[in-house]
Amino acid sequence: MRLGVLDVGSNTVHLLVVDAHPGARPLPAYSHKAELRLAELLDEDGAISDAGVERLVATIHEALQVAEDKGVESVLPFATSAIREATNGEDVLRRVTLETDAELQVLSGEDEARLTFLAARRWLGWSAGRLLVLDIGGGSLEIAYGLDEDPDVAVSLPLGAGRLTAGDLPGDPPEADDVRTLRRRVRAEIAKVVSEFTRYGTPDQVVGTSKTFKQLARIAGAARSAEGLYVQRELTRKKLEEWVPRLAVMSAEERVTLPGVSEGRSRQLLAGALVAEAAMDLFGVETLEICPWALREGVILRRLDHLP
């Protein structure tokens, strides 16, 4: 069957079309995405602006039309932290349903972490042993750890690259004091939850998912996406620590010239790098593997698990 997963995230609205059936690997058939950056469209009260809601509705309309054109039998629409935490989130959901017929399922931060962990487990297999999975989104950081398909512990922290850029790094390039202040805050937030994970023991493998980790690995020397999904890509803490101070003094326009960095994500890259560096340091991670599957694939896999 042909499924579509519609991910209304903090950075993008992404429709992933896959051909799938229970017991088989979902095969990507088409991808359609629009940069919306909802995390940056909040007003002073934490509400998504009227203009932002209008753009969201129009973008979902377009994605649903693409799904129809591609022969999708069923669309799984969901939303993450940007709508979950917006003060007018319920009103936004009602308007989306009224104007598009799409009933967005709002995932909790823990749901995001667990579904992303499921995707990483299925990609890497049982031989990976105890997994620690890190995912940096636009609005939040998800961390999950476990031996099975459902993690033993999963948390979500408000440390997304888009959120932090909009709230803490207004300059382009940012002021050095702002970078230092954000670095301290990020490390303090992550340090609060480290003990929840370390009591389960040292992971056998550490995985990073999300566009942020992929871009950081690419500028640190990992293979291009054009070389295929099955090429192993890694990010070392040593390389990341070398890049953070360089990113801190670059403008968004200068970061776009780096390999693998998109224009839409260039401003957020420094905040994402600070979060990645802090997580790897505080969890004692020297090297992590980049996993091409993440939340969207987790949603699809969970749906397939429940088909008769």
Side-chain angles (χ1 to χ4, degrees):
M1 65 185 302
R2 177 157 284 194
L3 293 175
V5 56
L6 181 61
D7 175 2
V8 179
S10 298
N11 282 316
T12 61
V13 174
H14 188 170
L15 171 71
L16 177 64
V17 177
V18 299
D19 292 320
H21 62 270
R25 176 174 63 92
L27 297 174
Y30 191 78
S31 177
H32 171 83
K33 66 176 70 175
E35 293 279 352
L36 201 59
R37 293 196 288 276
L38 284 175
E40 299 178 19
L41 296 176
L42 302 178
D43 61 24
E44 294 179 355
D45 298 322
I48 299 174
S49 66
D50 289 340
V53 177
E54 290 178 5
R55 286 173 57 189
L56 174 62
V57 168
T59 302
I60 291 176
H61 258 306
E62 181 182 8
L64 293 175
Q65 184 59 56
V66 171
E68 180 181 323
D69 293 344
K70 297 301 177 182
V72 170
E73 297 176 48
S74 178
V75 176
L76 313 175
F78 69 90
T80 56
S81 62
I83 291 181
R84 181 173 69 233
E85 297 171 11
T87 55
N88 63 336
E90 291 296 327
D91 292 335
V92 172
L93 292 172
R94 280 193 291 270
R95 182 168 170 184
V96 167
T97 301
L98 180 65
E99 298 189 28
T100 71
D101 290 329
E103 296 187 9
L104 294 177
Q105 177 189 3
V106 180
L107 301 179
S108 69
E110 183 177 329
D111 288 337
E112 288 188 57
R114 291 183 177 279
L115 288 166
T116 301
F117 184 91
L118 171 65
R121 169 59 75 194
R122 293 279 178 93
W123 179 267
L124 292 164
W126 297 110
S127 63
R130 293 171 294 183
L131 274 182
L132 175 64
V133 178
L134 306 172
D135 180 277
I136 303 171
S140 57
L141 162 69
E142 275 69 52
I143 311 170
Y145 174 98
L147 182 62
D148 300 318
E149 291 198 335
D150 192 39
D152 295 310
V153 57
V155 301
S156 177
L157 300 174
L159 299 176
R163 179 202 297 267
L164 297 180
T165 300
D168 299 85
L169 297 176
D172 184 27
E175 296 291 336
D177 286 346
D178 290 339
V179 175
R180 283 193 294 270
T181 299
L182 178 58
R183 183 181 186 275
R184 286 195 297 268
R185 185 163 79 81
V186 166
R187 286 174 174 260
E189 286 287 329
I190 296 175
K192 292 176 184 176
V193 303
V194 169
S195 63
E196 296 182 37
F197 294 83
T198 54
R199 67 191 182 91
Y200 286 97
T202 303
D204 297 305
Q205 190 161 351
V206 182
V207 171
T209 71
S210 75
K211 192 71 170 180
T212 294
F213 271 118
K214 291 176 184 176
Q215 290 187 341
L216 291 172
R218 179 72 185 98
I219 66 173
R224 299 173 304 156
S225 59
E227 295 183 35
L229 286 177
Y230 300 106
V231 175
Q232 186 171 356
R233 296 170 176 86
E234 295 181 341
L235 175 64
T236 67
R237 193 168 85 206
K238 180 180 179 181
K239 284 285 189 181
L240 183 56
E241 289 172 345
E242 292 174 0
W243 269 101
V244 169
R246 296 169 65 179
L247 293 171
V249 297
M250 298 173 74
S251 66
E253 186 175 351
E254 290 171 325
R255 292 177 201 151
V256 172
T257 65
L258 299 173
V261 177
S262 64
E263 183 177 356
R265 305 271 185 152
S266 60
R267 282 201 70 236
Q268 302 180 11
L269 191 60
L270 173 59
L274 290 170
V275 174
E277 180 191 34
M280 293 181 73
D281 187 12
L282 292 168
F283 282 99
V285 178
E286 296 297 331
T287 303
L288 60 75
E289 181 174 341
I290 305 301
C291 177
W293 279 6
L295 178 59
R296 284 181 289 276
E297 288 77 11
V299 170
I300 292 169
L301 292 167
R302 181 66 77 213
R303 171 63 180 273
L304 292 175
D305 287 346
H306 288 87
L307 288 177

